[in-house]
């Protein structure tokens, strides 16, 4: 119950104060269990296995599964012919993270090089190329650590810096999302 309340407030905060990139979705999945797991605690075992297999992972159509909030069963388990495992169809609700092109995110810089910098916004990897960095910021290859800095050194982007960026493009595969971002627009870049 406390977990649901926490995620409700987490979900409410992010969906009502920022652009919507967090969703509460109903998802169906087939879980496979070995018959030795059958017993009086099978429901708890299915819930634990579902949480272990889904939280923190990326599911193609839905996005990154942040948290499973509710579990309901769609049907009884059936033994599979080839493996002997039982297949349980499970329906559950989850908070998912699915960013879209044009959204603004706060991220942490993970790597800086002469081509641009890489940042992470939660589980999302974002690359910002030099074409999407303001022209007044130059790459300082001899500084330690390497960074992009303004002429007067007042603003710097280096590893572990916070940066606000806008997503300008995305590549979506079956196992991950990768984005390209920009910091050239107003109110983007390192915090002042």
């Amino acid at each position: 119950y406390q977990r649901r309340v926490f995620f409700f407030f987490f979900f409410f905060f992010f969906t009502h104060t920022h652009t919507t990139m967090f969703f509460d979705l109903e998802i169906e999945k087939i879980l496979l269990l070995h018959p030795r797991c059958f017993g009086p605690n099978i429901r708890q075992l299915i819930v634990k296995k579902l949480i272990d297999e889904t939280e923190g992972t990326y599911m193609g159509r839905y996005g990154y599964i942040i948290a499973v909030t509710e579990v309901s069963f769609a049907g009884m388990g059936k033994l599979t012919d080839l493996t002997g495992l039982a297949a349980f169809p499970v329906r559950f609700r989850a908070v998912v993270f699915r960013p879209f092109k044009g959204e603004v995110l706060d991220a942490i810089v993970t790597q800086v090089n002469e081509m641009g910098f890489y940042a992470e916004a939660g589980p999302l990897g974002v690359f910002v190329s030099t074409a999407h960095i303001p022209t007044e910021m130059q790459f300082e290859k001899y500084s330690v650590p390497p960074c992009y800095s303004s002429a007067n050194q007042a603003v710097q982007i280096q590893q572990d810096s916070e940066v606000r960026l806008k997503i300008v493009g995305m590549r979506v595969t079956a196992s991950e999302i990768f984005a390209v971002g920009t910091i050239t627009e107003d109110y983007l870049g390192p915090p002042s």
Side-chain angles (χ1 to χ4, degrees), residues 54 56-59 62-67 95-99 123-125 175-178:
T54 58
T57 62
Y58 177 78
M59 290 181 75
Y62 307 111
Y64 290 99
I65 307 295
I66 303 296
V95 176
V96 299
F97 171 68
R98 173 101 188 218
L124 177 68
S175 60
E176 69 175 348
I177 302 176
F178 189 79

Side-chain angles (χ1 to χ4, degrees), residues 8-180:
F8 171 76
F9 285 115
F10 177 80
F11 178 72
F12 182 82
F13 172 77
F14 278 105
T15 58
H16 289 83
T17 61
H18 296 78
T19 55
T20 304
M21 65 188 92
F22 292 92
F23 301 92
D24 183 18
L25 298 178
E26 186 167 85
I27 302 171
E28 292 186 11
K29 180 179 172 100
I30 303 291
L31 285 180
L32 298 174
L33 283 179
H34 195 277
R36 72 173 171 252
C37 300
F38 296 173
N41 296 328
I42 193 164
R43 178 173 170 77
Q44 289 84 4
L45 184 66
I46 289 173
V47 170
K48 182 182 179 335
K49 183 170 174 123
L50 175 70
I51 289 171
D52 290 345
E53 284 186 8
T54 58
E55 284 187 357
T57 62
Y58 177 78
M59 290 181 75
R61 300 184 355 191
Y62 307 111
Y64 290 99
I65 307 295
I66 303 296
V68 174
T69 57
E70 182 182 336
V71 178
S72 60
F73 294 96
M76 298 295 293
K78 295 182 181 178
L79 292 175
T80 58
D81 293 334
L82 299 175
T83 62
L85 299 176
F88 287 89
V90 180
R91 184 178 304 129
F92 62 98
R93 296 194 71 77
V95 176
V96 299
F97 171 68
R98 173 101 188 218
F100 293 98
K101 184 177 175 182
E103 287 189 295
V104 176
L105 304 169
D106 291 333
I108 302 293
V109 177
T110 57
Q111 182 183 5
V112 178
N113 60 39
E114 61 275 355
M115 303 301 284
F117 65 86
Y118 292 90
E120 289 181 352
L124 177 68
V126 182
F127 177 70
V128 179
S129 73
T130 54
H132 294 288
I133 297 174
T135 55
E136 62 268 9
M137 297 191 79
Q138 298 298 318
F139 180 65
E140 303 288 335
K141 63 181 171 185
Y142 297 114
S143 72
V144 177
C147 67
Y148 283 89
S149 62
S150 59
N152 62 1
Q153 304 287 323
V155 178
Q156 287 191 337
I157 298 173
Q158 61 187 13
Q159 187 173 350
D160 297 326
S161 295
E162 292 180 22
V163 66
R164 179 164 289 155
L165 52 87
K166 180 178 181 180
I167 297 174
V168 294
M170 296 181 61
R171 184 189 70 203
V172 179
T173 66
S175 60
E176 69 175 348
I177 302 176
F178 189 79
V180 175

